[in-house]
Amino acid sequence: MVRIYSEREFTGIRKACEILPKAFRLVAPSVQPGVSTAELNRIVDSFIRSQGAVPSFIGVPGPQGVPPFPACCCISVNDEVVHGIPGARLLQEGDMVKIDVGTRLDGFFGDSARSFAVGQVSQERQRLMRATEESLFLGIAAARAGNRIGDIGAAVQGHVEPQGYSVVREMVGHGVGGAVHEAPEVPNYGRAGHGLRLRPGMCLALEPMINAGGWRIRVLKDGWTVATTDGSDSAHFEHQIRITDGDPEIMTLD
Ligand code: MG
Ligand code: MG
């Protein structure tokens, strides 16, 4: 069931979302060579709590036999795509790091992710990050009432594949608002004009995960971290949006 949220509910969802761009702005100056991913997690975690919200990824159940997710942020470096667990790893000059964060406030949920350059990164990594963020905004532009889910994926895929990149298949965007993950799934690939029709009041997280090499992924030994199978780089950007009668509202921008 795809939820249609009321104006009053969007007021609550907006409050949960508004914390996220502020958290990214706060943590960005600390994304430097020599910082641990645990430290970045700590900065974001304490800011979210200072806003009266709770990090929503902590305790998300893992696959069979894997402990629940232990941290506020998913922090994934270079060939890691998503779901990296913050820890002692120190970022190095030239790394590309993805921070994905969720909030819960008064029963409403926000979800957003960004890719950051650590110091000077290569032209190739800059190009991958730029193409991924551009594909997110093209997906958002396609997310209009009357269009279909496939229009979003087609917009993302149509931007990145001609540049030689690939779209992760197994991991997709999703509904969000009253829970961390809700229906529908929002793939970053697809056929224009196909899939569920978008309606005003839907609340979606669009989150292209774009690989410099092939689209295949694998899960590392920790049971959580998803990485590219071929070791190529991956970038990730995510915004939470509201489908309206006109332009979509991007709820995780300030
Ligand atoms: Mg996310
Ligand atoms: Mg998400």
Side-chain angles (χ1 to χ4, degrees):
M1 240 275 292
V2 176
R3 285 188 66 172
I4 300 296
Y5 290 97
S6 67
E7 194 63 48
R8 187 191 64 78
E9 288 169 322
F10 272 113
T11 303
I13 296 170
R14 198 173 289 114
K15 285 182 184 149
C17 287
E18 281 170 354
I19 296 166
L20 292 166
K22 294 185 182 131
F24 287 127
R25 183 136 31 86
L26 180 79
V27 77
S30 299
V31 180
Q32 295 289 343
V35 74
S36 70
T37 54
E39 172 64 7
L40 299 179
N41 179 74
R42 189 196 62 74
I43 291 167
V44 174
D45 183 291
S46 69
F47 176 72
I48 287 173
R49 294 178 195 278
S50 78
Q51 302 301 295
V54 176
S56 61
F57 294 169
I58 298 177
V60 167
Q64 189 89 39
V66 175
F69 195 78
C72 165
C73 303
C74 297
I75 303 187
S76 313
V77 184
N78 299 338
D79 64 315
E80 297 170 356
V81 179
V82 286
H83 301 171
I85 300 174
R89 179 174 186 166
L90 302 180
L91 296 181
Q92 296 182 22
E93 179 85 22
D95 280 345
M96 180 177 60
V97 62
K98 286 78 67 176
I99 305 179
D100 189 354
V101 196
T103 50
R104 176 165 58 84
L105 180 63
D106 298 332
F108 296 106
F109 290 77
D111 190 359
S112 188
R114 296 193 190 175
S115 299
F116 295 86
V118 182
Q120 271 308 324
V121 303
S122 65
Q123 295 274 344
E124 289 76 17
R125 284 185 170 159
Q126 288 179 39
R127 201 168 71 86
L128 175 63
M129 287 191 284
R130 191 180 326 122
T132 303
E133 190 169 24
E134 287 167 354
S135 77
L136 170 57
F137 282 95
L138 290 168
I140 290 170
R144 302 179 72 86
N147 282 1
R148 294 179 181 272
I149 288 280
D151 291 304
I152 297 173
V156 171
Q157 187 175 21
H159 184 63
V160 299
E161 285 187 350
Q163 301 184 58
Y165 300 137
S166 67
V167 177
V168 171
R169 297 295 199 274
E170 295 99 319
M171 321 286 302
V172 296
H174 52 92
V176 60
V180 176
H181 292 112
E182 298 176 335
E185 292 194 339
V186 186
N188 298 297
Y189 56 93
R191 290 166 65 197
H194 288 256
L196 181 76
R197 195 177 290 281
L198 302 174
R199 291 172 54 198
M202 288 182 179
C203 191
L204 305 175
L206 272 50
E207 50 178 317
M209 287 150 266
I210 306 301
N211 297 348
W215 56 262
R216 291 182 189 282
I217 55 173
R218 66 196 178 100
V219 179
L220 303 188
K221 283 203 185 73
D222 63 25
W224 276 104
T225 310
V226 172
T228 58
T229 301
D230 61 11
S232 67
D233 287 329
S234 187
H236 181 211
F237 285 88
E238 178 179 27
H239 278 305
Q240 185 165 329
I241 65 167
R242 170 190 189 174
I243 307 298
T244 74
D245 287 319
D247 294 335
E249 176 186 346
I250 306 175
M251 309 187 80
T252 45
L253 273 182
D254 56 1

